[in-house]
Structures are given as C-alpha cells and as structure tokens.
Amino acid sequence: EADIYQTPRYLVIGTGKKITLECSQTMGHDKMYWYQQDPGMELHLIHYSYGVNSTEKGDLSSESTVSRIRTEHFPLTLESARPSHTSQYLCASSGRIYGYTFGSGTRLTVV
Amino acid sequence: AQRVTQPEKLLSVFKGAPVELKCNYSYSGSPELFWYVQYSRQRLQLLLRHISRESIKGFTADLNKGETSFHLKKPFAQEEDSAMYYCALKGGGNAGNMLTFGGGTRLMVKP
C-alpha cells in the first residue's frame, strides 16, 4: 500500500549521541518535508526537498541535517543530540496535485 | 509573505452545539486553503480543501476572500470531533506547493 513510513515511532537517547530518523514514502512523490511539533502545538518546517540531491532549510532553524539520495528516502540526522531536541518530528510528502501526506511521526526524548 | 492565523488555541463546546474554528490568512495571490486534523494518537490528515467545496464528517469551510478567512464549521459537534485542527495555505510561485500552517486549535467536545 502506498504510504509514508517513519521509524522509530519512539526514541529515548542520551545526550551527545548521534541519531537518524528514517522517513520513506512509496507514493512516488517528489517533494518531502520535515516538521518539528511539540505536543498539541504549532508545526515548524525544519527541512524540505524538491527532489533527489535537493535539500533546503525551513523556517525554523535546526541543528539537524537531511539528505535525499533516493526519491523515496529522506532521513534526518542529529550529530549530537541534546535535551533541547526533545520533540516530535513529522515527515510528509506531496505530489503534483495537492495536499500533504504525513507519517505517524517520531517522538524523540533526549535525556 | 504568506501567513495563516488561528486565533484560538483552545475551543471547548458541548456535544450538539455548533462549532466554528477560525482561520485567517494573508497572501497576495489566489490561495488554496486546507484544513488538517490530528486525532489523539493518530497522524495528521487532510480533512477538507476549499476547491472541492465538500463536507467531510459534517464539517464545511467557505473561503471568504473579502475577509481573507477560511473558517471551519459544524452545526452539531460530536465527542469524536475532539482533536487538533490546523488550517493551511498553499502558495504559488517559487513556493511551489509548499503549505504554510496555522498554529492549530484544539477542539474539545464535552458530553
């Protein structure tokens, strides 16, 4: 079934660790996005990509980095996690027509 | 620059009461507007879009270009409508189909 998948669903990790949040979509969408969302709060765009080898920073400054080597895959990496990175991270993709499809999110806790 | 404002962080109504979630936007071109909903423990999903002029789960939203508004309405709220609601604007030009989200409104429907 065509969808967008995020792993892990939950992650608790110690300060200073390197982490990668995975996002993959099987819908053939060119555009993909990462949002940061504290529970019940605003969505802040942190990264987006319009296609392979295209990545841009979003409205909210983030210490994370992203890559887009394959159309379907858009991982987000934090080289050294800190408690201030504790949040929910949502991945989304969109095609030519309209609207976004969101993943289930990764809830990250840095202790 | 495009901007979406949802003036209410929290809206609490009783079951069976009418509900209106407010959304105002600023955009110089011809906007496309959407409402997204996030139920507890579920992913963010598209509720409706203005161009289709549809009613989903009893909700409707009318684009008022004069007032630059896209309020979401339902005549009789149900408990299962309790969720976070986000208004979103799709801009054109260089923004492509990038969505700008409002801050969200939490709707609580009390029994």
Side-chain angles (χ1 to χ4, degrees):
Chain A
E1 181 183 338
D3 205 348
I4 182 165
Y5 304 93
Q6 287 188 247
T7 56
R9 187 76 177 88
Y10 300 94
L11 179 62
V12 180
I13 200 160
T15 298
K17 298 291 186 183
K18 178 180 178 179
I19 58 169
T20 297
L21 308 184
E22 300 289 348
C23 177
S24 294
Q25 51 96 2
T26 57
M27 294 175 288
H29 287 166
D30 291 327
K31 300 178 178 66
M32 296 187 74
Y33 314 86
W34 276 103
Y35 284 85
Q36 188 173 337
Q37 180 194 32
D38 291 322
M41 302 294 283
E42 294 183 53
L43 289 146
H44 296 286
L45 180 68
I46 51 175
H47 298 284
Y48 62 97
S49 167
Y50 281 171
V52 171
N53 294 326
S54 153
T55 61
E56 301 286 346
K57 289 190 177 295
D59 303 324
L60 181 69
S61 176
S62 174
E63 293 166 348
S64 59
T65 59
V66 292
S67 63
R68 189 88 183 275
I69 298 172
R70 303 198 315 267
T71 299
E72 62 271 20
H73 194 213
F74 191 42
L76 181 146
T77 299
L78 274 166
E79 290 292 332
S80 179
R82 294 208 301 271
S84 59
H85 297 138
T86 294
S87 188
Q88 173 156 259
Y89 293 84
L90 297 178
C91 182
S93 69
S94 65
R96 288 194 176 85
I97 303 176
Y98 62 82
Y100 288 8
T101 301
F102 282 89
S104 298
T106 293
R107 191 172 297 280
L108 172 66
T109 303
V110 184
V111 297
Chain B
Q2 56 198 58
R3 186 175 176 83
V4 178
T5 303
Q6 294 179 247
E8 302 140 330
K9 287 269 186 201
L10 174 65
L11 184 62
S12 183
V13 301
F14 285 102
K15 177 183 173 181
V19 62
E20 180 180 66
L21 289 84
K22 292 183 167 49
C23 172
N24 291 92
Y25 66 91
S26 62
Y27 182 61
S28 57
S30 183
E32 288 186 54
L33 285 138
F34 306 81
W35 277 99
Y36 281 79
V37 61
Q38 189 173 32
Y39 301 103
S40 179
R41 301 180 190 279
Q42 294 187 30
R43 65 172 75 181
L44 197 60
Q45 58 188 282
L46 178 66
L47 179 62
L48 56 79
R49 49 193 178 114
H50 90 271
I51 58 173
S52 59
R53 302 184 68 81
E54 57 203 344
S55 173
I56 303 294
K57 299 184 179 182
F59 284 98
T60 58
D62 291 318
L63 178 60
N64 186 323
K65 292 187 177 181
E67 296 183 358
T68 60
S69 68
F70 187 57
H71 303 327
L72 183 68
K73 301 177 184 178
K74 186 169 183 177
F76 308 103
Q78 303 299 315
E79 289 181 69
E80 57 264 30
D81 296 328
S82 297
M84 279 294 294
Y85 290 81
Y86 294 92
C87 183
L89 164 70
K90 177 177 145 182
N94 291 335
N97 58 344
M98 184 84 71
L99 287 181
T100 299
F101 287 88
T105 298
R106 177 170 296 283
L107 173 64
M108 291 180 58
V109 181
K110 297 177 286 188

